[in-house]
Amino acid sequence: IEFNEAGDYLKYYKKKFVNIVFPYVFVSILLSIWNLRKIPNLDFGSTPVALYYLKSSLKDLISSNSSTHLWFMFGLIGYLLSAPFLSKMFHAMSNIELHILYGIIIIWNTITVLIFPFFNEPFGYHGWFLTGWMIHFCLGYYVDRAVTSSNAKLFYVMGILGAFINVMGATFFADRFSNPNDLAPTFIITCVGVMAFLQRKLNVSDERLKRITRFMSGYYFYIYMVHFNI
């Protein structure tokens, strides 16, 4: 979708509602009911049973899910709303500009996630818009467009170095090496290297495996949402 007309936005939001938001709401309600039914001798008080279940489901959907394995949805909803406008921005940028953007992301995260927390010092400056999980949300586009045959090896090497530093930091400075499994710049660099390598080097030729992979990819969102309760 190129988002040149109002209909493009409507088509995108409708698709995301059907594929992401509706399944999330549906599964969230089912999990709320499932978890309540596992509570022995649950006291409904004077509240009708159906209303009690409804209120608990709405509470989980609005706030309580943020402390469960569904926490990621509280950020993803905003990312999905932002995606069309980020897409317009990214598509208008040259590869050099994308590399500059990626460089600023790594530098900003090095300062805010790695250096200052390492020395237990607060970092008061803020306002940079590509922080947190939004970075991972955008990395796929960066890898797909900015990693080319001429620079791919550099990203592979950087990914290996990032993984090495990440493991060393998490092993020997576990109490001060912040966010080694998600937002550390070394982890982000590792993710980019891995994605670039898989995209360019992984070639699945077995048709049966392809069909299985396609089938699983159509249901991975549901699988993740219910796996914690299985």
Side-chain angles (χ1 to χ4, degrees):
I1 302 177
E2 296 184 358
F3 303 110
N4 292 323
E5 300 177 357
D8 295 334
Y9 290 86
L10 181 62
K11 180 180 179 181
Y12 166 81
Y13 287 127
K14 180 181 178 181
K15 180 179 179 181
K16 295 306 175 184
F17 179 83
V18 172
N19 294 342
I20 302 294
V21 178
F22 178 76
Y24 165 62
V25 172
F26 179 72
V27 171
S28 176
I29 293 173
L30 286 183
L31 292 180
S32 297
I33 295 173
W34 173 271
N35 291 328
L36 284 173
R37 291 183 64 85
K38 291 195 301 182
I39 300 176
N41 303 317
L42 180 62
D43 183 13
F44 298 102
S46 59
T47 306
V49 175
L51 181 59
Y52 187 93
Y53 277 116
L54 178 61
K55 290 173 64 176
S56 296
S57 299
L58 289 176
K59 181 181 178 182
D60 289 342
L61 194 61
I62 294 171
S63 61
S64 299
N65 283 347
S66 63
S67 59
T68 72
H69 69 290
L70 296 175
W71 62 268
F72 69 97
M73 287 300 302
F74 286 76
L76 183 60
I77 295 296
Y79 301 159
L80 293 175
L81 287 172
S82 307
F85 309 101
L86 288 172
S87 174
K88 295 284 284 188
M89 182 186 78
F90 289 150
H91 278 85
M93 295 171 69
S94 66
N95 281 11
I96 293 296
E97 290 172 323
L98 287 174
H99 288 312
I100 293 173
L101 179 64
Y102 176 65
I104 294 175
I105 289 172
I106 296 302
I107 293 172
W108 185 270
N109 264 42
T110 299
I111 295 171
T112 60
V113 179
L114 191 61
I115 295 178
F116 273 75
F118 189 86
F119 293 104
N120 294 315
E121 293 292 337
F123 186 80
Y125 293 92
H126 57 86
W128 173 243
F129 74 109
L130 278 180
T131 60
W133 287 100
M134 176 63 88
I135 298 171
H136 290 280
F137 184 73
C138 299
L139 281 183
Y141 178 82
Y142 174 73
V143 172
D144 186 59
R145 167 129 170 244
V147 178
T148 63
S149 57
S150 61
N151 63 21
K153 289 183 179 179
L154 174 61
F155 284 96
Y156 303 159
V157 173
M158 289 174 61
I160 294 172
L161 290 175
F164 177 77
I165 296 172
N166 211 53
V167 171
M168 292 297 102
T171 301
F172 296 105
F173 303 99
D175 58 333
R176 292 191 292 169
F177 196 86
S178 177
N179 299 93
N181 300 319
D182 42 41
L183 302 178
T186 47
F187 184 79
I188 293 171
I189 291 171
T190 301
C191 288
V192 170
V194 171
M195 284 192 290
F197 181 82
L198 292 178
Q199 187 180 66
R200 294 187 161 274
K201 299 297 182 180
L202 182 63
N203 183 23
V204 179
S205 57
D206 187 283
E207 288 299 324
R208 184 173 59 179
L209 184 57
K210 285 183 179 179
R211 288 195 296 270
I212 294 174
T213 303
R214 293 192 190 101
F215 175 81
M216 293 295 293
S217 66
Y219 296 95
Y220 74 92
F221 186 57
Y222 292 92
I223 294 171
Y224 179 82
M225 287 194 292
V226 302
H227 84 281
F228 193 80
N229 296 77
I230 297 177

